[in-house]
Amino acid sequence: MKRFADKVVVITGAGSGLGLATAQRLADEQATLVLVDLREDWLEAARNSLPVGTNATIFRADVSQLAEVEAYVDAAVAAHGRIDGFFNNAGIEGRQNLTEQFGAEEFHRVISVNLDGVFYGMASVLKVMRAQGSGAIVNTASVGGIRGVGNQSGYAASKHGVVGLTRNSAVEYGCYGIQINAIAPGAIMTAMVEGSLRQIGGEDWEEAGRQFVSVNPMKRFGKPEEVAALVAFLLSGEAAFINGATIPIDGGQSYKY
């Protein structure tokens, strides 16, 4: 497929995990990519992993800083004249702890990346998309944004906020030819999920992982490329009347009693 042959897509958190998998998927469909991450070494590796001939530029930015977000958006427009798709994906989990012990500093650290960063990205990209009269945005929420997960006050609060931002902005911008949706991944085997399992199980983190997925209807972790396929569909133009949705991708676990 070549659904992105004439599209410019910006991806945050592009150096690893879901962002990297999505960059690889969209590159296969001939997208022009702007890859954003906090770590330049990850960005270099990500760009090198793409097919030869892929038009991909990299931009180091801290998404919790408005000026840096505005800079990567300005750079994308300066280079390509437009932004057709935006995978607003960068995020962190933070440390796990009971709410009373979570700590204000840790709470605000997680919120600043996961919620402020998503808001800054949307606010900056929406100006571009409204002016051009088209565009598609996918925000990364989580199953932690549609239910409680325990020991993750900052993460759950931030991801619930992403869901609210998605719904609110979709209502505002549908009339401008822009669709805004969110994905709610469950346990997808990425470095972030491995880190979470290490917090839970320590040296026995792999056993903790087996126990975790034992209650999943599909009895396994999801794969980053499975999430990338969903993001690609939502950004491709084939999902043009899906707007304001938060789509779980978790093997059905969030629907289980």
Side-chain angles (χ1 to χ4, degrees), residues 35-37 39-47 58-60:
L35 308 180
V36 181
D37 202 284
R39 290 190 51 169
E40 195 158 3
D41 56 336
W42 287 5
L43 285 170
E44 291 284 2
R47 182 166 58 182
I58 60 175
F59 198 98
R60 185 204 168 279

Side-chain angles (χ1 to χ4, degrees), residues 49-203:
S49 76
L50 302 179
V52 174
T54 299
N55 186 348
T57 57
I58 60 175
F59 198 98
R60 185 204 168 279
D62 179 350
V63 300
S64 71
Q65 302 300 310
L66 176 59
E68 296 188 29
V69 172
E70 291 175 335
Y72 77 66
V73 173
D74 288 346
V77 174
H80 305 295
R82 59 187 298 109
I83 298 174
D84 300 291
F86 180 37
F87 185 28
N88 200 6
N89 167 69
I92 59 174
E93 181 194 19
R95 292 191 295 272
Q96 296 191 15
N97 219 330
L98 290 172
T99 299
E100 66 188 76
Q101 299 168 342
F102 197 82
E105 183 177 346
E106 179 69 1
F107 184 85
H108 289 295
R109 183 178 77 92
V110 176
I111 292 288
S112 70
V113 176
N114 292 0
L115 187 54
D116 292 352
V118 168
F119 170 72
Y120 295 155
M122 287 180 65
S124 300
V125 169
L126 281 168
K127 293 174 185 176
V128 177
M129 290 183 171
R130 186 160 68 92
Q132 68 194 25
S134 64
I137 294 174
V138 175
N139 297 320
T140 296
S142 167
V143 292
I146 57 177
R147 64 175 185 175
V149 292
N151 293 320
Q152 295 182 345
S153 294
Y155 186 79
S158 67
K159 294 302 186 177
H160 275 75
V162 169
V163 170
L165 275 173
T166 299
R167 291 171 177 165
N168 187 74
S169 298
V171 170
E172 293 175 346
Y173 286 88
C175 62
Y176 298 110
I178 302 166
Q179 57 174 134
I180 306 170
N181 295 293
I183 58 169
I188 312 299
M189 186 43 72
T190 63
M192 181 185 290
V193 168
E194 180 181 327
S196 178
L197 293 172
R198 288 183 182 275
Q199 287 193 63
I200 296 169
E203 293 299 318

